[in-house]
Amino acid sequence: MSVPDPKRTSAPKTPTCYMCCLVAEPIRQNDPQTSMVRSGKDGVVKSALNRREFNGLCGALGSFMASSGALALDAATAVALNGTAQTVKFRDATVVPAIGQGSARIGQGRHPAAEEEEALRTGLSLGMTLIDTSGDYGEGRSEELIKRVIAGQRDRAFIVSKVEANDVARGSMARACEASLSRLGTDYLDLYLLHWPVSNAHFPEMVAGFERLRAASKIRSWGVSNFSVRQMEELFRIPQGDRCATNQVPYSIGDRAIERDLLPWCEQHDMPVMAYSPLGGPGARLLRDPTLASIGAARGCSAAAVALAWTIRSGDVIAIPESGSPAHVKENAVALALTLTPQELQTLDAAHPRR
């Protein structure tokens, strides 16, 4: 896959796509077997399966594999083979999967390192090509583990890392970025985020630091994390502050706070939101939710897949669930091709109303 110019200031004619190298055949928009839905303000067509198609695909795959005696393929593998993954487009026209992979506790002994590496590789193979990390996760051990995962396939991955607020205040952004690049074994980041807000007085310094890194081809784009609407408005008043690509914040069906103001603000400014803790945070409490489990049972998938499908339903949100288990990653990947019905969305809204 060709590498776009990180110094570009306008959208390229052909958007960068971090999904296209993982599917066996292109999406055919006129194929009657594929259900197409429009998401986002730009009306980009995204392919998804409805309830009948989704269940039918799972059943057909199961029957075929049983009769052939081959290893069973699950619905997540169908995502990679069928090219039906939902995507999100940044303002610079870069296209990423609507579901990526988080890594806040990766590389810290929660699971064997080999299992965590295999989980991330599994996600890459199933279209979850966006991997989110930080030099602050496990004092860099998360990035070091990801280095082993992406070795030899860097161009297939969209790598997101973060700089800490104290590095901005100390004027150490460039040094922090170089440290992350070294631990990741790469010479550029696709997206570099400020992990937590700095004071408004440091916004000009932060923007200038990000822009210097972009001009030096160390990063392709930059964004923020955990910013409020007031902070986003202040950021956009700074020269070049409107080059911010995304705001990474907590969002799930169990935590809908951003729907009050931040999510509409980002949609108004054509800015995708990146949702962390989409399964409820530590302990993944949403996996035990009876409504999600009931819908999952009816659709032949996990509660996690339903929760993730809900999170990305608008076409403007990228969810980054974390898992150190290949089996759980496969469950998560099913959501890339799962579109909830209006009735299912109403049921979930009733069980988890916005407060």
Side-chain angles (χ1 to χ4, degrees):
M1 179 167 56
S2 61
V3 177
D5 181 2
K7 298 181 182 178
R8 65 173 183 262
T9 57
S10 60
K13 293 182 180 179
T14 302
T16 305
C17 179
Y18 288 83
M19 299 291 298
C20 58
C21 61
L22 299 178
V23 297
E25 57 182 301
I27 297 172
R28 297 182 297 277
Q29 296 187 13
N30 296 322
D31 188 342
Q33 300 303 314
T34 303
S35 174
M36 309 301 294
V37 297
R38 292 188 179 271
S39 299
K41 298 185 184 302
D42 58 4
V44 173
V45 175
K46 298 175 178 65
S47 178
L49 303 179
N50 62 29
R51 179 199 295 264
R52 178 171 50 82
E53 293 166 333
F54 181 81
N55 290 338
L57 176 60
C58 296
L61 280 169
S63 298
F64 171 76
M65 291 302 165
S67 63
S68 67
L71 293 174
L73 290 179
D74 56 22
T77 306
V79 171
L81 293 178
N82 214 37
T84 55
Q86 295 198 49
T87 59
V88 173
K89 186 169 71 172
F90 289 104
R91 286 181 295 171
D92 69 354
T94 298
V95 177
V96 298
I99 299 175
Q101 302 183 82
S103 66
R105 294 182 291 168
I106 295 292
Q108 299 170 55
R110 189 164 60 106
H111 302 283
E115 182 178 356
E116 292 179 335
E117 291 176 30
E118 182 59 26
L120 289 170
R121 290 192 186 96
T122 297
L124 279 175
S125 70
L126 294 175
M128 299 164 67
T129 55
L130 185 151
I131 301 178
D132 176 82
T133 186
S134 169
D136 192 51
Y137 294 163
E139 299 179 339
R141 291 190 294 276
S142 169
E143 290 180 329
E144 290 169 349
L145 187 145
I146 291 169
K147 174 183 180 178
R148 299 192 291 272
V149 172
I150 64 175
Q153 54 177 347
R154 172 64 182 92
D155 62 343
R156 298 179 67 188
F158 184 96
I159 301 298
V160 183
S161 195
K162 305 180 188 72
V163 61
E164 300 304 314
N166 58 359
D167 288 315
V168 175
R170 293 197 306 253
S172 302
M173 291 179 68
R175 184 161 58 248
C177 183
E178 288 291 351
S180 285
L181 292 175
S182 177
R183 286 188 292 264
L184 286 161
T186 184
D187 57 2
Y188 71 96
L189 296 171
D190 295 286
L191 179 61
Y192 201 30
L193 305 180
L194 176 67
H195 204 164
W196 290 94
V198 292
S199 67
N200 291 6
H202 286 294
F203 281 8
E205 181 180 359
M206 175 194 74
V207 172
F210 277 135
E211 285 299 312
R212 283 193 295 270
L213 290 169
R214 197 173 68 89
S217 301
K218 300 296 182 180
I219 66 174
R220 293 183 172 173
S221 59
W222 61 268
V224 297
S225 187
N226 300 299
F227 267 43
S228 66
V229 168
R230 181 177 297 180
Q231 289 166 324
M232 292 302 302
E233 290 176 340
E234 181 65 26
L235 174 62
F236 269 45
R237 295 188 187 103
I238 304 298
Q240 300 182 313
D242 60 354
R243 287 185 172 174
C244 177
T246 189
N247 187 6
Q248 185 180 117
V249 290
Y251 182 51
S252 70
I253 194 170
D255 181 2
R256 303 178 62 173
I258 67 168
E259 293 181 9
R260 290 194 295 266
D261 54 3
L262 181 62
L263 187 58
W265 189 95
C266 290
E267 290 173 347
Q268 179 184 352
H269 290 81
D270 198 24
M271 177 186 295
V273 165
M274 194 172 295
Y276 69 83
S277 299
L279 298 180
R285 62 182 182 275
L286 288 176
L287 301 186
R288 299 181 292 276
D289 180 82
T291 307
L292 292 170
S294 176
I295 293 174
R299 299 294 291 266
C301 63
S302 66
V306 177
L308 293 172
W310 181 92
T311 302
I312 65 172
R313 70 199 183 283
S314 70
D316 299 317
V317 176
I318 304 159
I320 48 170
E322 178 187 336
S323 178
S325 161
H328 291 164
V329 168
K330 290 179 181 180
E331 292 178 359
N332 294 343
V334 170
L336 282 168
L338 176 62
T339 300
L340 299 174
T341 67
Q343 293 78 14
E344 289 166 339
L345 291 172
Q346 289 173 8
T347 298
L348 290 167
D349 274 340
H352 297 274
R354 187 178 72 185
R355 292 181 174 85

